[in-house]
Amino acid sequence: SRARLYRLLYGARAALEEALLQSSAPTPVLTHGAPAPSASPGVEIAGVRVHSGDLLLSRGTAPTSALIARGNDYPGNFSHVALVHVDEADGRVSVIEALLERGVVVNDADAYLGDPKLRIMLLRPRADLPALAREPRLAHRAASQALAEARAGHIPYDFAMAIDDPRARFCSEVASHAYAQVGVTLWPELSTFSSPGLGGWLAAFGVRHLETHSPSDLEYDPSLTVVAEWHDREALFEDHLANAVIDALLERAEAGAPLAYRRALLPVARLLKGLSVLANLVGAQGPIPEGMSATAALRAEWLRAEHGRLAARTRAQAEAFRAERGFTPPYWQLVALARAAAAE
């Protein structure tokens, strides 16, 4: 039942996005979802009323973002989740999120929107949830507690993706922990990564828990309402292109290919990791993120370079396809082009 429901939901989105890419009409930058009342403080941002306790799903531009979005038993569209807090006194917006490089941080709205993203979706807890019916401002309380924790002291990034240990947190844990504290469970079903090839690649990055909370699955959480989504045609094509390349790379992983790295650079990476540890001790940020090993950092660099190389070839072939046939190659054709580029 879950697989059938996923195919209907994800398939409907995929079909709509293909129609948007093929249409000559202007693609809307902002699409409004269902009405979603909230008793929490709110302000207007980029054409939408955003309330304290709302969740921002996004998709980054890095290859690791594509891996996070696609690397799932139910591949999705998003790689990052952040929690919004709105100060009821002055309307100041704080975005609480966990970043690989810095751990849990608090940014303002401009800093969040200024970071390159291919798509953003705004989610809000349903007002008819029993917990919110009893306490209408519950979402604001969850966000306020998360903000206080983030400001109280450094919370490192959780590369292991251990959702039962809040001492370190990855992006999904920022949201799930905040709402768990007030009695609301997000991610009613755990995200799973049962593919051996994908599991091996995630383990090479330090992931130890393959049943966890994936940002992309939050789109389907029945306790949340989709309030709005921001996207445009150019960013949508870049999203599909990056996905196609990652899908081709994951097929290589399933065939037994390891996540490679340049071994000759390992001594340099270890030196940089040592410098990073010293920087972390004084509260600074080093060249290699806290919690990431020197080897994992080299693997991330290999993935960036390999993904960039295959994306460039796939983009060139997609442009040739468009010139020859007069329309944008659909996703399945992008995957075929990416496979051919990976096979060269």
Side-chain angles (χ1 to χ4, degrees):
S1 296
R2 184 182 181 187
R4 185 172 295 130
L5 184 59
Y6 164 78
R7 292 181 67 180
L8 288 170
L9 291 170
Y10 185 81
R13 169 185 274 279
L16 175 60
E17 291 187 357
E18 287 298 341
L20 287 172
L21 286 173
Q22 301 302 332
S23 172
S24 59
T27 303
V29 174
L30 171 63
T31 303
H32 288 276
S38 174
S40 297
V43 296
E44 186 163 319
I45 300 176
V48 176
R49 186 77 176 174
V50 177
H51 289 269
S52 198
D54 285 357
L55 299 167
L56 288 164
L57 282 180
S58 62
R59 168 62 186 276
T61 57
T64 48
S65 295
L67 178 63
I68 292 168
R70 303 298 296 171
N72 190 333
D73 287 351
Y74 298 92
N77 303 292
F78 298 95
S79 59
H80 187 63
V81 58
L83 179 63
V84 177
H85 177 272
V86 179
D87 192 297
E88 57 186 330
D90 58 13
R92 181 183 303 172
V93 176
S94 299
V95 180
I96 309 141
E97 53 186 335
L99 304 179
L100 276 76
E101 303 85 358
R102 299 163 56 196
V104 177
V105 298
V106 179
N107 286 317
D108 59 23
D110 290 339
Y112 176 83
L113 295 174
D115 188 39
K117 294 175 175 63
L118 297 176
R119 61 170 88 213
I120 303 175
M121 174 183 281
L122 182 68
L123 299 171
R124 182 170 300 150
R126 291 166 49 125
D128 59 356
L129 290 177
L132 266 75
R134 292 190 299 269
E135 184 183 343
R137 288 165 58 91
L138 185 70
H140 180 55
R141 180 156 70 89
S144 298
Q145 292 179 190
L147 180 63
E149 288 184 5
R151 287 177 171 169
H154 175 60
I155 303 174
Y157 191 86
D158 181 13
F159 285 94
M161 297 177 69
I163 56 176
D164 57 350
D165 186 356
R167 291 175 298 177
R169 297 174 200 174
F170 66 104
C171 66
S172 297
E173 283 181 282
V174 170
S176 63
H177 179 74
Y179 274 100
Q181 295 281 81
V182 296
V184 175
T185 300
L186 301 179
W187 284 274
E189 296 286 342
L190 289 175
S191 306
T192 54
F193 310 87
S194 61
S195 158
L198 171 63
W201 278 27
L202 292 176
F205 279 126
V207 176
R208 296 291 176 264
H209 297 263
L210 300 181
E211 291 186 349
T212 185
H213 294 157
S214 176
S216 60
D217 285 348
L218 201 62
E219 178 182 0
Y220 309 117
D221 193 317
S223 63
L224 301 171
T225 298
V226 177
V227 177
E229 184 171 357
W230 293 266
H231 51 65
D232 60 36
R233 184 183 290 109
E234 183 178 346
L236 196 58
F237 178 77
E238 292 300 319
D239 175 284
H240 284 206
L241 177 66
N243 287 351
V245 172
I246 279 293
D247 282 353
L249 286 171
L250 288 177
E251 289 175 0
R252 184 190 294 181
E254 288 310 302
L259 192 58
Y261 66 95
R262 296 178 63 186
R263 293 181 181 273
L265 295 179
L266 189 54
V268 176
R270 285 173 174 163
L271 175 60
L272 292 175
K273 180 59 184 177
L275 295 174
S276 298
V277 171
L278 294 176
N280 297 153
L281 291 175
V282 297
Q285 180 181 333
I288 295 180
E290 179 184 12
M292 176 181 279
S293 69
T295 306
L298 290 177
R299 287 178 173 133
E301 176 58 26
W302 176 88
L303 180 63
R304 184 200 63 77
E306 183 70 356
H307 187 278
R309 182 178 69 85
L310 296 182
R313 291 185 179 183
T314 305
R315 181 180 286 103
Q317 292 299 317
E319 291 172 355
F321 182 102
R322 187 184 295 112
E324 178 183 349
R325 307 195 188 187
F327 61 92
T328 300
Y331 186 72
W332 55 89
Q333 188 63 53
L334 282 176
V335 173
L337 295 175
R339 284 186 186 128
E344 291 179 1

